[in-house]
């Protein structure tokens, strides 16, 4: 079964994402509204226990890129989708250098979320 960690500090957005992933991807979703708790959870995972991470960029404690760096430091090769309301050129360059699997712009479109999730997972599956 597909396992996804979602990190989003806005509870309504988090609930919408969870609903979309559970119903349209039949995924087990691990939702986090606090990035600190998400970081602790992610560090205990492997590619076998977690297949996708979706994270907001701007959050208290750890931002999305910090979480992505944490994954790299822990040698976790898990696709990572970054949600942002402000996709500045500097952010895009940094994220691409960290090999982000894709971007999702706020306000979120759940159809696009599901599509980009499938796309990121397909790239990982074909690379294995």
């Amino acid at each position: 079964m597909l396992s996804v960690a979602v990190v989003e500090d806005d509870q309504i957005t988090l609930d919408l994402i969870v609903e979309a992933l559970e119903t349209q991807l039949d995924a087990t979703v691990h939702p986090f509204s606090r990035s600190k708790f998400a970081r602790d959870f992610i560090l205990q995972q492997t590619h076998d226990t977690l297949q996708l991470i979706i994270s907001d960029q701007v959050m208290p404690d750890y931002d999305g890129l910090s979480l992505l760096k944490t994954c790299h430091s822990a040698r976790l090769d898990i696709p990572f989708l970054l949600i942002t309301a402000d996709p500045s050129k500097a952010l895009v360059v940094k994220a691409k250098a960290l090999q982000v699997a894709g971007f999702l712009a706020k306000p979120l479109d759940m159809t696009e979320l599901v599509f980009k999730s499938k796309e990121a997972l397909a790239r990982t599956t074909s690379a294995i």
Side-chain angles (χ1 to χ4, degrees):
M1 169 155 289
L2 175 63
S3 180
V4 181
V6 178
V7 192
E8 169 59 66
D9 60 336
D10 178 74
Q11 191 62 51
I12 294 171
T13 303
L14 181 61
D15 291 345
L16 290 170
I17 294 170
V18 169
E19 174 72 18
L21 294 175
E22 286 178 345
T23 59
Q24 296 180 48
L25 287 182
D26 195 28
T28 298
V29 181
H30 306 278
F32 296 93
S33 59
R34 302 267 317 271
S35 60
K36 182 180 186 312
F37 297 137
R39 181 183 179 278
D40 295 343
F41 172 80
I42 290 167
L43 287 173
Q44 297 174 21
Q45 304 307 304
T46 67
H47 187 58
D48 293 330
T49 60
L50 186 67
Q51 290 78 47
L52 179 64
I53 300 168
I54 301 172
S55 176
D56 190 14
Q57 169 56 17
V58 179
M59 296 178 292
D61 297 322
Y62 299 98
D63 63 26
L65 289 183
S66 295
L67 290 174
L68 182 54
K69 288 176 187 175
T70 296
C71 291
H72 288 305
S73 296
R75 300 198 189 293
L76 290 174
D77 188 24
I78 299 171
F80 195 103
L81 294 176
L82 189 66
I83 301 169
T84 183
D86 183 27
S88 68
K89 184 176 180 179
L91 175 64
V92 171
V93 169
K94 285 180 189 175
K96 287 193 177 199
L98 291 169
Q99 299 173 333
V100 70
F103 293 92
L104 295 160
K106 284 186 175 179
L108 286 177
D109 174 329
M110 293 306 139
T111 303
E112 181 183 17
L113 169 87
V114 170
F115 175 78
K116 288 199 174 187
S117 296
K118 287 179 180 177
E119 191 176 61
L121 291 163
R123 273 183 279 174
T124 303
T125 306
S126 65
I128 295 174

